[in-house]
Amino acid sequence: MTIRVLLVDDQPLLRTGFRMILEAEHDLVVVGEAGDGQQALEQVRALQPDVVLMDIRMPRMDGVEATRRIAGPGRDGPAKVLVLTTFDLDEYVVEALRAGASGFLLKDVPAEELVQAIRVVADGAAMLAPSITRRLLDMYATKLPSGDETPPQALASLTERELEVLKLVARGLSNAEIAGELFVSETTVKTHVGHVLTKLRLRDRVQAAVYAYESGLVRPGAL
């Protein structure tokens, strides 16, 4: 299956570099480019990409708002958003994840990781790098619950095993890694993850991880 990718970044040289990397892969095709969020919305409507590689800081409309309009609550289009960030400068990555992004990468990510992330997101999963996630959530620790608050009522709908799975998802573990932690099969883990997403009305694993931190189920910096 060919994965259709839209590149969104206000720096033409970066878009050119990404295009060269992606078009060297047999299953990826760059269907278009955009220099800001407004152009991205227009290109998504016209080109129907599978994955949008989205920068955060851009003129006219930033990547957070563009992500919200492409993949936010109530949006059922096929396009998935993979956010690019410089991390040290961007302060809006959590907002992008809340807005519906299926993951995020650093702009200096190795080419093979970029390619793999696009495939993962296109397949309906989420790209949640554990090391980056922990650093990012630690940065937002003062804005997230301390863990002493009353848990949201929605968590009560989860079984004990589903809560365990949600905590491990929040740590960035893959299905295989969770299966190893809990001594169950990957198929069982996938079923539990599906139940968690359905019960909490979440789009994917990234939103589940953010929910776990915001609800106080997992505390920033905790292993």
Side-chain angles (χ1 to χ4, degrees), residues 1 7 11 19 25 46 49 52 83 88 104-105 112 121 127-128 131 133 136 152 154 157 161 163:
M1 181 184 70
L7 303 177
Q11 299 183 49
R19 177 183 283 273
E25 303 296 321
V52 180
V83 172
D88 291 333
F104 61 90
L105 294 173
E112 61 272 16
V121 169
M127 190 62 196
L128 190 62
S131 60
T133 301
L136 178 65
S157 67
R161 178 64 80 177
L163 283 171

Side-chain angles (χ1 to χ4, degrees), residues 98 137 143-156 158 163 166-167 170 196 200 202 207-220:
R98 290 189 185 123
L137 289 169
K143 300 180 181 180
L144 294 173
S146 65
D148 298 327
E149 297 81 359
T150 302
Q153 189 173 0
L155 285 178
L158 302 184
L163 283 171
L166 177 55
K167 290 176 182 179
V196 169
L200 300 181
L202 301 170
Q207 290 193 345
V210 172
Y211 181 93
Y213 279 89
E214 291 185 324
S215 67
L217 182 64
V218 177
R219 302 182 68 172

Side-chain angles (χ1 to χ4, degrees), residues 9 18 27 30 38 49 52 58 71 79 91 98 103 106 109 112 130 132 153 170 176 191-192 199 201 217:
D9 196 295
F18 289 139
D27 59 338
V30 177
Q38 185 60 50
V52 180
M58 296 179 292
E91 302 172 353
R98 290 189 185 123
L106 299 181
V109 64
E112 61 272 16
I132 300 175
Q153 189 173 0
T191 298
H192 287 316
K199 290 180 179 181
R201 298 182 179 181
L217 182 64

